[in-house]
Amino acid sequence: MIFDCERVARLEEVADRQFRLPLTLEGGGLWAGVLSSGRCALETDETRLAGAGSLLVAAGPVRLLPAENCHLLAVRIGGLAAGLFLEGLEKPMFADGGGCPGAAGLIAALAEAAHGLQGELCYRLLCELAPADAAGAALPPLVAEAVAQIREHYAGLYGVEELSESLGVSKSHLVRAFKSAMGITPGQYLTGVRLEAAKLLLARREYPLEVVASLCGFSGANYLCRVFKKTTGQTPAAFRAAAVADEAIGQPLPLEQELYV
């Protein structure tokens, strides 16, 4: 054989995952995927939430931390071209899907492609992802600091006004800048972080709901229940029962160390 396309780029694995708990994509090579629903972060950058339509580009293994129910379709690519691609990839990232418009379609095609077409599609996907680093720009300093403060002080933070005062800007300016960069308001992000912490406590501890609410910054158990049901579609009790039955709960959860327990 004069040219073996699978030595250049080959499909190693397809992962089609619906997940609400931390997910690890195992194996070496390049993971490329599209987040079709939900919001999640990389374990290496917990302060940046990616939303639906974002592209995952990472060396395996890579761990994802969901803020809500998520769906990811991803492929793991090996071969010489994938190795060269990874040499230029400084860190795992979620990139803006608009910067690589053909990537999502190629990932979907790869997931269903017959064996003879996989090598060509893998190579085309690598070419499409080449500008991904430019599509994954860093957060503006104000927004990055707001995210960091929310994640560090969520349990005792009274609201966006207190946050804006600590950052030395007006509430309206912070809300505009935050929503432009993150797609949601700082208040919505704060609620999401509190819910994330509440889920961890519900899954790992037997604390009463009043204690969970207090530890996570909610004003009381009733308010926690209302927000939890509205956001997840489940009551905290139902979530806890399902989590106990889920074997993935036994795995270490990185964000657990952030809880004030």
Side-chain angles (χ1 to χ4, degrees):
M1 180 179 293
I2 297 175
F3 178 72
D4 183 359
C5 63
E6 290 204 350
R7 288 192 63 204
V8 177
R10 62 179 176 272
L11 179 65
E12 303 282 11
E13 184 179 352
V14 175
D16 189 348
R17 300 284 190 271
Q18 191 85 34
F19 61 104
R20 60 180 176 80
L21 296 171
L23 170 69
T24 300
L25 298 174
E26 304 284 0
L30 171 70
W31 277 106
V34 58
L35 189 67
S36 59
S37 65
R39 294 174 299 140
C40 74
L42 290 160
E43 185 179 33
T44 54
D45 186 7
E46 296 181 16
T47 64
R48 184 179 177 88
L49 278 176
S54 298
L55 293 173
L56 170 68
V57 185
V62 59
R63 189 165 174 81
L64 307 176
L65 308 176
E68 57 196 30
N69 288 335
C70 294
H71 178 261
L72 177 78
L73 178 64
V75 293
R76 183 163 62 89
I77 301 174
L80 297 174
L84 291 172
F85 186 101
L86 289 172
E87 287 181 9
L89 184 65
E90 294 183 0
K91 60 182 180 179
M93 69 174 69
F94 270 111
D96 180 2
C100 309
L106 286 168
I107 290 168
L110 256 176
E112 300 181 358
H115 179 74
L117 297 175
Q118 290 175 357
E120 177 187 350
L121 289 172
C122 284
Y123 185 76
R124 288 172 57 191
L125 177 58
L126 292 175
C127 294
E128 182 68 23
L129 291 173
D133 54 349
L139 291 174
L142 173 63
V143 178
E145 179 60 25
V147 167
Q149 288 203 26
I150 288 172
R151 297 198 72 86
E152 184 175 356
H153 303 298
Y154 63 87
L157 194 61
Y158 285 105
V160 178
E161 285 190 9
E162 181 186 8
L163 177 62
S164 63
E165 288 177 5
S166 71
L167 293 169
V169 298
S170 68
K171 178 181 177 181
S172 59
H173 177 66
L174 175 61
V175 170
R176 284 196 301 270
F178 199 100
K179 188 168 185 179
S180 175
M182 299 287 286
I184 57 174
T185 67
Q188 290 171 322
Y189 185 78
L190 173 60
T191 298
V193 171
R194 286 172 169 166
L195 283 171
E196 181 182 305
K199 290 177 183 178
L200 291 173
L201 282 180
L202 290 167
R204 305 287 298 240
R205 303 286 188 261
E206 296 182 359
Y207 298 145
L209 288 183
E210 283 289 353
V211 174
V212 173
S214 177
L215 290 172
C216 298
F218 292 99
S219 58
N222 288 337
Y223 182 58
L224 168 61
C225 288
R226 288 199 303 273
V227 175
F228 202 97
K229 180 68 182 293
K230 180 180 179 180
T231 305
T232 69
Q234 291 180 294
T235 65
F239 177 87
R240 172 177 271 165
V244 169
D246 194 326
E247 62 181 2
I249 288 297
Q251 300 174 0
L253 301 181
L255 292 177
E256 190 171 14
Q257 64 187 2
E258 296 180 8
L259 301 178
Y260 299 138
V261 294

